[in-house]
């Protein structure tokens, strides 16, 4: 996950994601992006309730801006069970060639699986809309 640089911290929360918007006729996969950043801050207690709400509002405005300009925004959340997640983490950690892919937060997430699930589910529900691109 990308941590915001000092320059990025002086910009609006969603500013760097505007730079990732593809040109007309192209598509872009943005893997976790602002969802990871925002939910991790919430889970780690690094953001106030007010700032979290404001950032959720920013996400909604950002995605609405995209759909208002003809973009199609699709979000996919792939969930696996706590047991399967632990198995995959252990498998990655068992080899020095893949262990680097697992960080402390990955392990923390597995230990706090239910709490994380609730935060992710809440994020997805709060940023879910039926905006459709206008053509």
């Amino acid at each position: 996950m990308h941590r915001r640089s000092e320059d990025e911290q002086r910009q609006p929360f969603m500013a760097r994601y505007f730079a990732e918007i593809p040109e007309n006729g192209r598509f872009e996969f943005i893997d976790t992006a602002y969802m990871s950043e925002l939910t991790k801050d919430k889970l780690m207690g690094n953001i106030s309730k007010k700032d979290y709400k404001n950032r959720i509002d920013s996400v909604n405005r950002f995605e609405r801006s995209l759909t208002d300009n003809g973009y199609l925004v699709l979000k996919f959340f792939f969930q696996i069970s706590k047991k399967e997640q632990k198995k995959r983490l252990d498998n990655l950690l068992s080899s020095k060639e893949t262990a680097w892919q697992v960080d402390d937060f990955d392990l923390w997430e597995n230990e706090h699986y239910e709490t994380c699930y609730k935060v992710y589910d809440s994020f997805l529900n709060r940023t879910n809309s039926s905006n459709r691109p206008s053509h």
Side-chain angles (χ1 to χ4, degrees):
M1 183 182 77
H2 176 85
R3 293 306 304 165
R4 293 174 56 155
S5 69
E6 284 185 41
D7 287 339
E8 288 170 332
Q9 290 177 28
R10 288 189 288 274
Q11 298 173 353
F13 171 63
M14 298 299 294
R16 81 165 166 271
Y17 300 107
F18 275 96
E20 295 182 33
I21 297 171
E23 63 187 67
N24 190 20
R26 303 260 183 197
F27 65 91
E28 180 74 27
F29 288 102
I30 302 175
D31 184 14
T32 65
Y34 45 87
M35 179 182 170
S36 278
E37 181 177 347
L38 192 47
T39 55
K40 184 174 183 180
D41 281 345
K42 181 170 179 59
L43 287 163
M44 297 289 96
N46 296 333
I47 191 169
S48 70
K49 286 182 181 183
K50 179 182 177 187
D51 286 343
Y52 183 76
K53 182 195 175 306
N54 289 340
R55 288 191 178 177
I56 289 286
D57 292 344
S58 291
V59 168
N60 286 324
R61 284 190 304 272
F62 173 71
E63 291 178 354
R64 179 60 191 251
S65 174
L66 290 174
T67 59
D68 284 351
N69 285 284
Y71 288 88
L72 178 63
V73 176
L74 301 172
K75 293 183 225 178
F76 298 92
F77 183 81
F78 299 100
Q79 179 186 349
I80 57 174
S81 70
K82 180 178 183 176
K83 182 178 176 181
E84 178 64 22
Q85 184 184 58
K86 176 75 168 124
K87 178 179 147 187
R88 292 180 187 192
L89 290 170
D90 289 344
N91 188 42
L92 288 169
L93 289 168
S94 71
S95 169
K96 61 183 172 188
E97 294 168 358
T98 57
W100 64 269
Q101 296 177 25
V102 179
D103 65 18
D104 290 341
F105 186 69
D106 295 322
L107 300 172
W108 186 92
E109 271 183 308
N110 185 254
E111 289 175 31
H112 300 89
Y113 184 90
E114 290 301 321
T115 300
C116 293
Y117 173 81
K118 288 176 185 172
V119 169
Y120 301 144
D121 188 57
S122 174
F123 175 90
L124 290 168
N125 283 321
R126 292 178 71 181
T127 62
N128 185 30
S129 68
S130 59
N131 296 335
R132 289 179 297 211
S134 55
H135 287 84

